[in-house]
Amino acid sequence: MQFFVYHTPELVPQDRLPDCAIAVDVLRATSTIATVLNAGAEGVQVFSDIQELLTVSEAWDANHRLRVGERGGKTVEGCDAGNSPLECTPERVRDARIFMSTTNGTRALKCIQNAPVVLTAAFINRGTVVQYLQQHQPETVWIVGSGWEGSFSLEDTACAGAVVDGVLKHSSQSLAELAGNDEAIAAVTLFRNFEADLLSLFKHASHGQRLFRLNLLEDLQYCAQTDVLDVLPIQKEKGILGRL
C-alpha cells in the first residue's frame, strides 16, 4: 500500500484515480456519517448544494428522511438538523435516509466519488478503516481532508495520520515506504503529537475554535474519541453511503 494525503479537495489530482479514496471531515461530517450509520440509518446521500438536497429529498417519505444541512457550523433553514452527531439519535435516524450537505465534508466526498472504493473516516471509526485496508490491501490510497473553505485544517490531517499510523502498526513496511507524499509523513507526525489529547488539537484548530465559540463542546468531546464505533461507511453508488 501507498498513502497519499491531500489537505483539501482542491489539491486532489484530476487526471487519475486511486484504488481506494477516503474522505475525512472530523468536525463534523464524517463523524456524523459514521454515527448515523451505526445508529441504523438506511443510508447517507450527500450534496454540495442545499437547494438540490431540498429538491431531491422532497420525493422521499417524510417519515423516513432526515435533512442535515450546515453552513458555518450552524443549521441551514429548511433542514431538520445541523451537522451534529449528537443530534442524530437512533430514534431520529433508524431506517431513515439522511440527506446531507455541509460546508466542507460533502465537497470532499464529491471530488473522489469516481474512485472504485470510497470510504469515510473520523477518529471515532478509525479502527474499522484500518481493518478494511489491512484486509483488502489497495495499492494506492488517497486520504482527502475537507479543510475549511479551501484551506488546511489540523484535525483532518491528524485523522489522516491516524489512519496511516494504524496501518503502520500492523505492517512490515516502514513509514517511508507507506508514504506516497510528504503530506502523509507530516500527517502521522501531527497525529502522534496529539494522540493522547485530541481535544487539545481541536482547541488549536481554527474550526475547533469556531465550534467552541458556538458552545458545541459536547460535539467536540465526542469527535475527539478514537476507535469507539465499529462501522465503516462505504459508497454504495455515487453520492450515497451505506454501512459495509
Side-chain angles (χ1 to χ4, degrees):
M1 274 187 289
Q2 197 162 49
F3 289 87
F4 297 81
V5 172
Y6 299 102
H7 297 311
T8 68
E10 290 78 8
L11 297 173
V12 173
Q14 300 299 308
D15 60 346
R16 58 190 183 277
L17 289 171
D19 298 298
C20 176
I22 305 170
V24 178
D25 183 11
V26 172
L27 299 176
R28 294 162 285 166
T30 57
S31 297
T32 298
I33 289 169
T35 299
V36 299
L37 291 175
N38 186 68
E42 176 270 339
V44 179
Q45 189 164 350
V46 299
F47 300 84
S48 299
D49 180 70
I50 285 287
Q51 190 54 54
E52 183 185 6
L53 179 156
L54 295 173
T55 300
V56 172
S57 63
E58 191 62 34
W60 204 268
D61 180 356
N63 294 317
H64 291 91
R65 75 178 182 215
L66 188 75
R67 293 163 165 168
V68 172
E70 171 268 332
R71 292 293 183 270
K74 299 179 180 179
T75 304
V76 175
E77 184 178 354
C79 291
D80 306 303
N83 188 22
S84 169
L86 299 184
E87 285 186 73
C88 299
T89 61
E91 293 75 22
R92 298 188 78 183
V93 307
R94 187 177 291 115
D95 298 326
R97 168 68 61 92
I98 311 303
F99 296 88
M100 173 183 278
S101 181
T102 70
T103 306
N104 304 293
T106 49
R107 291 172 52 251
L109 276 162
K110 285 291 185 180
C111 86
I112 58 173
Q113 66 180 2
N114 290 323
V117 176
V118 176
L119 311 174
T120 69
F123 288 117
I124 57 175
N125 75 317
R126 186 274 305 258
T128 60
V129 175
V130 169
Q131 184 179 16
Y132 177 91
L133 295 171
Q134 289 174 312
Q135 180 179 351
H136 294 274
Q137 294 287 313
E139 186 173 341
T140 56
V141 181
W142 291 0
I143 308 180
V144 181
S146 298
W148 177 260
E149 297 184 342
S151 63
F152 171 89
S153 69
L154 282 173
E155 68 277 4
D156 291 346
T157 298
C159 187
V163 171
V164 178
D165 188 63
V167 171
L168 184 63
K169 288 177 179 176
H170 300 91
S171 173
S172 60
Q173 292 179 276
S174 67
L175 177 56
E177 291 169 326
L178 279 176
N181 59 6
D182 287 357
E183 290 89 335
I185 296 173
V188 172
T189 303
L190 179 64
F191 168 67
R192 289 175 177 174
N193 189 62
F194 285 98
E195 180 177 6
D197 188 3
L198 291 172
L199 190 61
S200 173
L201 170 70
F202 295 167
K203 290 176 180 177
H204 285 82
S206 59
H207 190 40
Q209 293 172 12
R210 189 175 295 110
L211 296 178
F212 273 111
R213 290 194 295 271
L214 292 172
N215 298 314
L216 293 169
L217 175 60
E218 290 185 355
D219 270 19
L220 290 160
Q221 290 172 328
Y222 177 81
C223 295
Q225 301 174 97
T226 305
D227 303 339
V228 294
L229 294 186
D230 183 23
V231 61
L232 182 65
I234 188 167
Q235 183 172 258
K236 300 290 190 177
E237 55 184 281
K238 283 186 181 180
I240 302 177
L241 296 150
R243 179 171 182 162
L244 185 64

